[in-house]
Amino acid sequence: SNVSFAVEGVPSIFFNLLSEITELLLENKSIVLVGSSNSGKTYWIKNTLIPYLESQGKEVRYLEDGDAKITDSADIVICDETETLFDEDFLQDKNTEEYLNKVNRWYKNYSELPASTLFVVTRNESDQIENLLQNFNKADWDGRDVVVLRFKK
């Protein structure tokens, strides 16, 4: 029996993603949400996910990138613009010294975030996205277990 739910203002295609992410975060799991540039990840997070989590009584902190830090405790943290070197073989010409210094600084900040964190990663090529979906199960910044989910328009 396939039960379908209607959440006001949430297109059904995203409902499964919303419920899956919510369930995982409430179980103190770390999630990597991967999708392409301009697919609407940040918009969806700010306009659907965060209001939904807050409606469930959760304190949510949104970090726009790895330089941002949380200054107080929160139930759930969302870290946008996450960088990972896990799949650097798949990525071209990103690895300048400046970039690597930035990533190392961000890794230190990521490792201080709670288990119930959603890390948002941008990848544009389908093979890059597939590689993360299939192989990225421990975060390279602190070894935590991560569940990788795909964000699609």
Side-chain angles (χ1 to χ4, degrees), residues 29-93:
K29 300 273 201 309
S30 293
I31 304 171
V32 171
L33 183 64
V34 60
S36 56
S37 304
N38 303 316
S39 57
K41 297 184 299 296
T42 300
Y43 182 87
W44 181 79
I45 285 164
K46 288 182 167 177
N47 292 281
T48 299
L49 180 62
I50 292 174
Y52 181 72
L53 292 169
E54 289 175 340
S55 78
Q56 306 295 303
K58 297 298 165 190
E59 287 259 338
V60 183
R61 295 289 173 276
Y62 172 82
L63 306 177
E64 59 189 39
D65 64 27
D67 276 326
K69 291 184 161 190
I70 46 170
T71 52
D72 53 2
S73 65
D75 299 315
I76 290 168
V77 176
I78 296 169
C79 184
D80 214 341
E81 303 295 336
T82 301
E83 295 287 353
T84 173
L85 298 174
F86 169 79
D87 57 344
E88 60 186 331
D89 299 346
F90 275 80
L91 307 176
Q92 303 307 315
D93 62 49

Side-chain angles (χ1 to χ4, degrees), residues 99-113:
Y99 173 76
L100 293 172
N101 287 339
K102 177 181 88 169
V103 170
N104 284 325
R105 186 173 75 242
W106 287 13
Y107 273 21
K108 193 172 170 304
N109 292 345
Y110 298 160
S111 67
E112 292 167 7
L113 297 175

